[in-house]
Amino acid sequence: MNREHEPAPIASRLSPALDEAGVARTWRRIQSARAASRPRTRLTTRAFAGLAVAATLALCVWSLRETGPARAPGALAASEAPLAPGAAVRAASVSLDDGSRLALAHATELEVLANDGTRFDTLLRRGRCRFDVEPGGPRRWSIETDLATVEVVGTAFTVTRDDAGLAVEVDHGIVLVRGERVPGRVQRLLAGQRLTVSANAVPVAVAPAARPEPPDTAVPAAVPPAPTPAPAPAAVALESRAATQTIGVPRPSSPPPSVDVQSRLQEADAARAAGRPEVAAALLERALHEGGDATQRAIAAFSLGRLELEVLDRPTAAAGHFAAVVAHGAPRSLVEDAQARRVEALARAGRHDEARREATVYETRWPSGRRLSQVRAWLVRHAP
Amino acid sequence: MALASPKAHLRVVAPLHAPEQGDSDAVLVARARAGETWALEALYRRHVQLVAGTALRLLRNRAEAEDVTQETFLLAFEKLDQLAEPAAFRGWLARIAVSRAHRRFRARRLRSLFFVRDADRDDEVGLADDAAPGASPEDRTELALLDRALLRLPLPLRTAWTVRHVLGCSVEETAEACACSLATIKRRIAAADEQLHAHLGGAS
């Protein structure tokens, strides 16, 4: 490409093809188009593909109309509270867009773990929450506590986690309660039944179950922090409120070893709540290596990242765990949070170039991301 | 540090990555492939005048040229991973621009078959219309003559000569832009030179 001794091109005698305003305008259009259509294909290809997809969908809907809907709507939303994974629900009453409702007692700590078209998982750290789940929905609802997990598809029930332990009371519908301290590790509760899982080694006396008062923010429940689960066996009582008949099964003398990721997450949460973050970190590390599905591993990695960053002040380690969340193929919202927190971790660790690169990755993937302003603020706050 | 306003932080990321003057196309392409958006913008700003100029000189219409510029960069950024030689980004980009401009020519021809007249053909921009401020009347006249002569060339010759002599691309880049071999492009440029010479009466 020898350009020596060449006359200046004619363009040098012309005005620029695009003035500065045109350059800026075209760049904005390029950015908008890139954000709006990815991947971009030829118009005709898209048109034919669109027609084909529409025809296929119409056929599927038609053929499935007798067998029930296979609709997979997106994440639940509520105007009263953020419902992204990791968000703490603080509002006293939350109406979800599928018609379900949550009612939280005063001082209740409820956190969203996962929220997508197939599941809505929350963590009840302490307090009482009534769940009124719209029946027939496509999501599996799951309420995690440090003592057990409550699963439901469509019903109304109340979960209370206090000093004494855990109480699950079903108003109508059916729920499943799983956990190491639950007889047979799982119990099916029908309407009118109540299950209590004690946090202590001392068995709970079987008594007529008083119906818990509905959560009322005007009356403080004065719920103390959740205690660390005792390693010794706990008592379990499963009662019928109508007949006060115990239908529970005596728990085994020693619980089977907990190996599933879900249990590890619960144990880690309990350890963190008990002020033992190092133990919680170790449990989460084990959870990461004990299998489970990709989402569970991603939640474990994300929890570990937050613990390292916020409690243990180890931003470098945190950055690695947030990177792992992305690698585990987590739900989109969790990946977005992880990418954002990775920027914070790297910035706090003094790895500013990497932080900026990750910020660019975030901005590219989520141009209107809900963490965008935070990401930029972290870059500025921790700038050298 | 508190945020002053959302707008104040709209571009915090990009300025932190402002490219150095010495960043070659190859470096910028590598960074863009790694997901660094500032590199895309740097590539855009570096080559936008070449792309817009190619489109404008071939299509002679500002609105269409702007559209082609947008399409060219969109396509280039989308297919960036397919670029075998990052250092040849400029020629590759020119090739996309020429290709997109030629698509417009084909569309024009199709419309003319159905007697659909392009309304924006009234806004034709010739070389003389774009003469730099302060250009002498002689310069403008010369540009107008050249413009008229160029219009009489077959499209392949006009494209080759425009990319080479109006936009100032190297012979290699011109060959890449016109998607032909060096020998072919040299032949086309020579043929265009000869025909222009004839049209201008040996005064070019």
Side-chain angles (χ1 to χ4, degrees):
Chain A
M1 287 192 213
N2 184 11
R3 297 190 195 191
E4 289 177 22
H5 313 302
E6 285 188 0
I10 293 167
S12 64
R13 296 159 61 186
L14 303 173
S15 300
L18 268 185
D19 57 13
E20 190 49 42
V23 170
R25 182 173 58 247
T26 307
W27 177 242
R28 281 197 302 273
R29 286 167 58 188
I30 290 169
Q31 282 184 307
S32 306
R34 275 170 56 79
S37 63
R38 272 180 210 159
R40 186 170 170 274
T41 57
R42 293 178 62 170
L43 184 62
T44 48
T45 310
R46 278 192 294 180
F48 281 117
L51 282 174
V53 169
T56 308
L57 282 176
L59 195 62
C60 289
V61 168
W62 182 79
S63 62
L64 291 175
R65 72 192 196 287
E66 295 298 330
T67 57
R71 197 167 65 98
L76 287 172
S79 56
E80 301 91 344
L83 296 179
V89 181
R90 300 192 192 285
S93 174
V94 179
S95 298
L96 307 180
D97 57 1
D98 71 339
S100 303
R101 288 185 302 278
L102 311 181
L104 283 73
H106 178 74
T108 294
E109 290 185 8
L110 185 72
E111 183 181 323
V112 179
L113 294 178
N115 179 9
D116 58 34
T118 58
R119 57 191 296 187
F120 183 68
D121 297 348
T122 56
L123 171 64
L124 179 65
R125 294 184 193 281
R126 62 174 182 168
R128 185 166 70 236
C129 183
R130 178 185 158 85
F131 297 84
D132 197 346
V133 182
E134 189 69 14
R139 293 174 194 80
R140 181 179 64 82
W141 281 54
S142 172
I143 297 94
E144 304 285 350
T145 71
D146 56 344
L147 295 178
T149 302
V150 183
E151 291 181 5
V152 62
V153 173
T155 183
F157 59 101
T158 303
V159 181
T160 308
R161 176 68 180 96
D162 57 17
D163 261 351
L166 172 72
V168 182
E169 191 163 9
V170 181
D171 291 337
H172 56 81
I174 302 169
V175 301
L176 292 178
V177 184
R178 301 177 192 275
E180 291 302 313
R181 301 180 182 211
V182 176
R185 300 186 67 181
V186 61
Q187 283 292 335
R188 186 166 175 264
L189 293 189
L190 304 175
Q193 288 189 326
R194 183 177 194 236
L195 173 76
T196 57
V197 182
S198 171
N200 306 313
V202 182
V204 174
V206 178
R211 187 183 180 86
E213 294 171 16
D216 183 355
T217 51
V219 182
V223 183
T228 310
V236 178
L238 181 62
E239 309 154 1
S240 161
R241 280 181 292 173
T244 68
Q245 176 191 3
T246 301
I247 57 173
V249 180
R251 62 172 286 101
S253 56
S254 63
S258 169
V259 293
D260 59 301
V261 175
Q262 204 69 270
S263 301
R264 286 276 177 255
L265 292 175
Q266 290 171 24
E267 291 167 11
D269 192 61
R272 185 170 57 173
R276 294 184 296 164
E278 293 283 2
V279 174
L283 286 165
L284 289 168
E285 283 278 9
R286 285 173 65 182
L288 278 176
H289 299 103
E290 278 179 351
D293 61 28
T295 302
Q296 286 176 324
R297 286 200 304 276
I299 291 172
F302 187 78
S303 304
L304 188 52
R306 282 188 60 184
L307 194 66
E308 298 277 16
L309 187 64
E310 295 169 3
V311 181
L312 299 171
D313 196 23
R314 296 194 293 232
T316 302
H321 294 307
F322 291 131
V325 174
V326 181
H328 282 312
R332 187 182 186 278
S333 53
L334 191 60
V335 172
E336 181 184 352
D337 282 346
Q339 183 67 35
R341 300 305 296 266
R342 181 164 160 76
V343 174
E344 183 190 10
L346 289 168
R348 277 180 52 178
R351 293 157 64 178
H352 303 292
D353 286 344
E354 288 174 76
R356 283 194 291 266
R357 266 201 298 277
E358 294 301 321
T360 306
V361 169
Y362 180 94
E363 185 174 311
T364 306
R365 291 188 65 180
W366 298 280
S368 308
R370 55 201 158 74
R371 302 267 183 209
L372 193 57
S373 58
Q374 280 178 296
V375 165
R376 289 166 173 167
W378 284 326
L379 281 185
V380 173
R381 186 181 305 151
H382 301 291
Chain B
M1 189 181 293
L3 293 178
S5 75
K7 278 200 164 183
H9 294 274
L10 279 178
R11 303 186 59 77
V12 166
V13 175
L16 293 171
H17 290 273
E20 294 169 15
Q21 287 296 320
D23 278 351
S24 65
D25 278 0
V27 170
L28 291 177
V29 167
R31 296 209 165 190
R33 281 172 172 172
E36 298 184 35
T37 47
W38 65 265
L40 291 178
E41 186 168 359
L43 286 167
Y44 167 78
R45 292 203 171 264
R46 182 174 290 178
H47 298 298
V48 65
Q49 293 300 345
L50 169 71
V51 172
T54 303
L56 182 61
R57 297 305 152 218
L58 293 178
L59 292 166
R60 304 164 62 83
N61 180 281
R62 286 197 197 285
E64 278 194 294
E66 217 169 286
D67 286 348
V68 165
T69 304
Q70 179 187 341
E71 291 169 11
T72 300
F73 279 101
L74 272 173
L75 202 60
F77 293 159
E78 199 176 286
K79 309 280 183 193
L80 203 54
D81 287 338
Q82 298 174 16
L83 176 59
E85 282 184 61
F89 180 79
R90 182 178 148 95
W92 181 66
L93 200 61
R95 180 177 189 157
I96 297 173
V98 167
S99 160
R100 303 306 291 187
H102 282 189
R103 282 168 65 100
R104 299 255 167 177
F105 279 126
R106 286 196 291 275
R108 280 181 188 177
R109 271 202 298 271
L110 192 64
R111 284 196 295 272
S112 69
L113 284 178
F114 294 97
F115 306 103
V116 178
R117 186 173 184 277
D118 292 321
D120 52 11
R121 294 301 299 276
D122 297 334
D123 306 325
E124 273 207 353
V125 179
L127 290 174
D129 301 313
D130 261 357
S136 65
E138 291 77 15
D139 273 351
R140 288 179 189 277
T141 306
E142 193 180 329
L143 286 171
L145 286 172
L146 177 61
D147 198 41
R148 203 176 308 159
L150 275 171
L151 273 178
R152 298 170 72 173
L153 297 183
L155 187 58
L157 302 193
R158 176 151 69 91
T159 301
W161 201 90
T162 300
V163 173
R164 175 74 179 103
H165 291 302
V166 177
L167 300 165
C169 288
S170 67
V171 177
E172 291 83 355
E173 286 168 345
T174 306
E176 172 70 22
C178 297
C180 55
S181 67
L182 268 178
T184 303
I185 206 66
K186 283 178 182 170
R187 203 162 46 241
R188 284 185 188 175
I189 292 170
D193 269 338
E194 196 176 319
Q195 291 191 30
L196 284 174
H197 211 69
H199 292 319
L200 295 171
S204 67

